[in-house]
Amino acid sequence: MTYTKDQAIQKIADKLSELTYEKTLLLLSGGSSAEVGVKALLQAQPKYTTVAMVDERYVAYGSENSNATLLKEYGLQDFSEIIQKDSLDRHETARQYETTLSDLVQNSGKVIAVMGIGTDFHIAGILPNSEAAKTEHDGIIDYDTEQFERITITPAFFNHIDCLYIYAEGEAKAE
């Protein structure tokens, strides 16, 4: 189905409100879906929802190229960030976040995700034909791309998601 941005926010907020008393993990990404996910969360204000990220560009903490920075700009303050102020190298950061995300999934009754689709057709940090797209690992992967180093969920991780919302906007993504 196709929704306007406001309708998408309302649809996701309704789902989060429905689960307000259930331990829920809300997974968010960057790009155009960041605003939709954060606004839905702030509108619903569910009681037992934890928020975490599905992907991040491996950049300096607080960088304008960071998905976490984007989420904060939209008003989200309390969530599990992939990159910490005192982050280790990319691989160690990815392994640490994989443990965090695994624990969050295990301690949640439901896992909801809001993601977008990039103009290059990537979802989360999984670029087409990349190492991330080809792995069978169930968790987090870190790898290099032409533009950014990335840390992202893997395709196999989608099996942990109970409800997935994909949001894309703009002419470049209309197709």
Side-chain angles (χ1 to χ4, degrees), residues 14-26 41 44-51 104-112 160-163:
D14 289 347
K15 182 65 172 181
L16 291 170
S17 294
E18 179 184 310
L19 299 170
T20 197
Y21 293 105
E22 188 165 345
K23 285 183 89 174
T24 304
L25 174 60
L26 175 62
L41 176 68
Q45 295 187 8
K47 297 195 181 312
Y48 303 108
T49 297
T50 301
V51 181
L104 290 171
V105 168
Q106 288 178 10
N107 291 313
S108 298
K110 294 284 184 193
V111 178
I112 309 297
H160 300 287
I161 299 172
D162 297 300
C163 183

Side-chain angles (χ1 to χ4, degrees), residues 64-110:
E64 65 182 25
N65 291 315
S66 163
N67 288 337
T69 298
L70 183 61
L71 293 172
K72 290 175 186 175
E73 287 174 4
Y74 285 122
L76 187 62
Q77 297 305 316
D78 186 21
F79 61 101
S80 291
E81 295 182 59
I82 295 174
I83 297 174
Q84 304 298 315
K85 288 180 183 173
D86 58 348
S87 276
L88 310 164
D89 70 30
R90 186 186 76 201
H91 186 69
E92 290 172 356
T93 299
R95 297 292 62 81
Q96 185 177 22
Y97 191 70
E98 182 172 54
T99 299
T100 298
L101 191 57
S102 177
D103 290 345
L104 290 171
V105 168
Q106 288 178 10
N107 291 313
S108 298
K110 294 284 184 193

